[in-house]
Amino acid sequence: MDTYLLKHTRAVTETGILDCDMLIKGGKIAAMAPDLEVCAPAWDLNRAFVLPGFIDIHTHGAKGVDINNASPQDIVRLAGQYAAYGVTSFLPTVACDSPEAMMSAVKNIVKASRLEGSGARILGIHLEGPFLSPEFKGSLPQHYLRLPDQVLFDSLLTASDGLLKLMTLAPELPGSCELIRHAVKMGVRVSMGHSGASYEQAMDAISAGVLASTHTFNGMLLFHQHRPAIMGAALESGVYCEAICDGRHLHPGTVRLLLKVKGTDRVIAVTDSIMAAGMPDGAYRLGSQSLVVEGGDAWLADGSSRAGSTLTMIQALHNLLNFTGCTLRQASTMLSKNPAGLLGLEHRKGSLAPGMDADYLILDSSLDLAACAAEGKCLFKKTIGGD
């Protein structure tokens, strides 16, 4: 259906919850108002909540698919699986690996973006590495870490065919500020993470163009009253702060503190999910690394580090509500509007308003996912309301 009407919604907008009908036309939100009279197929939602679709800017996979090792067809299948968690668009995140493996992963994502699919849209590529600190590598392989290298960056950028949108690097590495400026000039957003940067080094990187902090508090030098470090710079400055709200990476009190310091308009909820998300416990991979998942908690097989998460975006919504007591609108901001803002896409994604892409999800009375659509096309649907 190119044109249809969502009747009797409770639309979660930037200004509050709006009781309205929503007219969807040509993949866009054409109108939002009570009692719209339109000759079009209609779906009565009986005042169910409608939210902007979730945008996950940091995910290494789910449902048995690891981005680093995935074929284009695997990635298309994965995009379909994401829709069942409320994700309407995402950045496949390539973990630090050999240059050859990272290049292959980038090319496969590009191929996947050109294939027909009925899943979440690929908005671009996030490179997590290889320009990261060995001391704060976490689960990433130390032998593939490198100093900032513009030649390697440019080769990956060229291979991405314009899809490289975000890169995580460590600001303290020699040449980092030069690479940040170059990346920004080429249209790539830069986030700081896996880093032992001092406060001063992090602030210099922010001045050079860094816009975000990768999985804030995790994989970085922590705050000390005399040495605020990268964590202090992330909290004090205006950068966006990623947060993995799975109850493992961050204590609920830490999430509340982050929101008090940054405000809901500068926090981006991410999953940092691995291929084990949505799967049973067992043995998995993250790029070249072997993992073990027990009780939903992912670790390197040698037990030396936690390795990503098994979190989904719909669970992140529930956790934000439970951990912080924030409103549904505030949680939606962190799951949709803010990631769109970081990527410079706030003019068409991340919120519900006439003229925006019709990326939305519908929640049932328990705030569980009932339906999900991207650019007006239904990706996932359960029975709800008068359907």
Side-chain angles (χ1 to χ4, degrees):
M1 289 185 296
D2 182 66
T3 302
Y4 59 94
L5 192 63
L6 301 179
K7 296 287 292 182
H8 306 125
T9 78
R10 301 187 70 196
V12 179
T13 73
E14 290 186 42
T15 56
I17 295 175
L18 179 64
D19 291 316
C20 67
D21 299 342
M22 289 177 55
L23 177 63
I24 311 300
K25 186 174 183 180
K28 301 281 187 180
I29 301 172
M32 296 175 65
D35 303 317
L36 288 174
E37 296 292 337
V38 179
C39 183
W43 183 11
D44 191 341
L45 298 189
N46 293 330
R47 302 189 76 244
F49 285 113
V50 179
L51 278 68
F54 299 148
I55 303 172
D56 194 353
I57 64 168
H58 191 159
T59 171
H60 298 283
K63 299 297 286 187
V65 177
D66 173 67
I67 293 295
N68 277 48
N69 298 298
S71 69
Q73 293 74 21
D74 289 334
I75 297 169
V76 171
R77 178 168 58 84
L78 174 64
Q81 298 287 347
Y82 279 137
Y85 304 126
V87 176
T88 54
S89 51
F90 68 109
L91 296 185
T93 303
V94 179
C96 179
D97 211 323
S98 69
E100 296 77 17
M102 294 186 75
M103 183 70 70
S104 176
V106 165
K107 290 179 178 178
N108 282 334
I109 295 168
V110 172
K111 291 175 183 176
S113 72
R114 296 170 179 164
L115 296 176
E116 290 292 330
S118 57
R121 305 310 194 238
I122 296 173
L123 293 180
I125 296 168
H126 177 180
L127 294 182
E128 191 175 14
F131 314 124
L132 306 172
S133 164
E135 185 180 358
F136 293 89
K137 63 183 177 58
S139 62
L140 301 175
Q142 181 168 337
H143 53 287
Y144 288 135
L145 300 179
R146 300 168 65 115
L147 295 178
D149 180 343
Q150 185 175 320
V151 173
L152 176 56
F153 170 83
D154 284 344
S155 67
L156 291 166
L157 178 65
T158 299
S160 79
D161 196 26
L163 274 186
L164 179 54
K165 300 299 182 183
L166 182 64
M167 175 178 64
T168 295
L169 59 66
E172 72 274 23
L173 299 179
S176 63
C177 281
E178 290 81 0
L179 184 57
I180 291 165
R181 294 188 188 95
H182 176 67
V184 170
K185 183 178 180 181
M186 302 305 292
V188 178
R189 269 67 176 172
V190 182
S191 185
M192 55 186 182
H194 288 283
S195 167
S198 68
Y199 173 87
E200 292 77 14
Q201 289 168 327
M203 282 299 196
D204 285 345
I206 292 168
S207 295
V210 160
L211 295 178
S213 165
T214 298
H215 42 54
T216 308
F217 302 114
N218 299 119
M220 62 175 55
L221 186 60
L222 298 181
F223 183 90
H224 183 280
Q225 71 269 27
H226 299 307
R227 297 176 296 280
I230 181 175
M231 175 179 157
L235 294 180
E236 182 194 355
S237 68
V239 301
Y240 287 101
C241 285
E242 283 188 6
I244 309 171
C245 299
D246 62 351
R248 296 186 176 101
H249 285 80
L250 300 175
H251 185 280
T254 304
V255 180
R256 291 191 292 272
L257 173 64
L258 179 63
L259 294 187
K260 279 186 177 291
V261 174
K262 297 295 294 187
T264 56
D265 64 341
R266 277 296 179 270
V267 175
I268 297 177
V270 299
T271 62
D272 196 7
S273 65
I274 60 168
M275 65 187 299
M279 300 289 285
D281 288 353
Y284 294 96
R285 298 195 69 77
L286 172 61
S288 61
Q289 302 285 74
S290 297
L291 314 180
V292 173
V293 177
E294 294 183 0
D297 196 6
W299 286 74
L300 287 177
D302 64 8
S304 62
S305 174
R306 183 169 273 126
S309 86
T310 58
L311 182 68
T312 65
M313 287 292 266
I314 189 65
Q315 187 60 54
L317 170 69
H318 292 164
N319 289 348
L320 280 167
L321 297 173
N322 293 333
F323 292 172
T324 71
C326 69
T327 67
L328 194 57
R329 182 189 64 80
Q330 289 171 325
S332 173
T333 296
M334 293 181 271
L335 290 153
S336 305
K337 180 175 182 289
N338 293 347
L342 171 62
L343 297 176
L345 298 175
E346 66 275 17
H347 60 289
R348 64 184 182 92
K349 293 191 180 291
S351 57
L352 300 179
M356 301 291 286
D357 288 351
D359 294 354
Y360 65 84
L361 53 94
I362 301 168
L363 303 183
D364 64 19
S365 58
S366 300
L367 300 186
D368 290 324
L369 187 68
C372 177
E375 297 170 2
K377 296 181 180 179
C378 185
L379 308 181
F380 172 84
K381 184 178 177 181
K382 293 193 298 188
T383 301
I384 184 175
D387 184 48

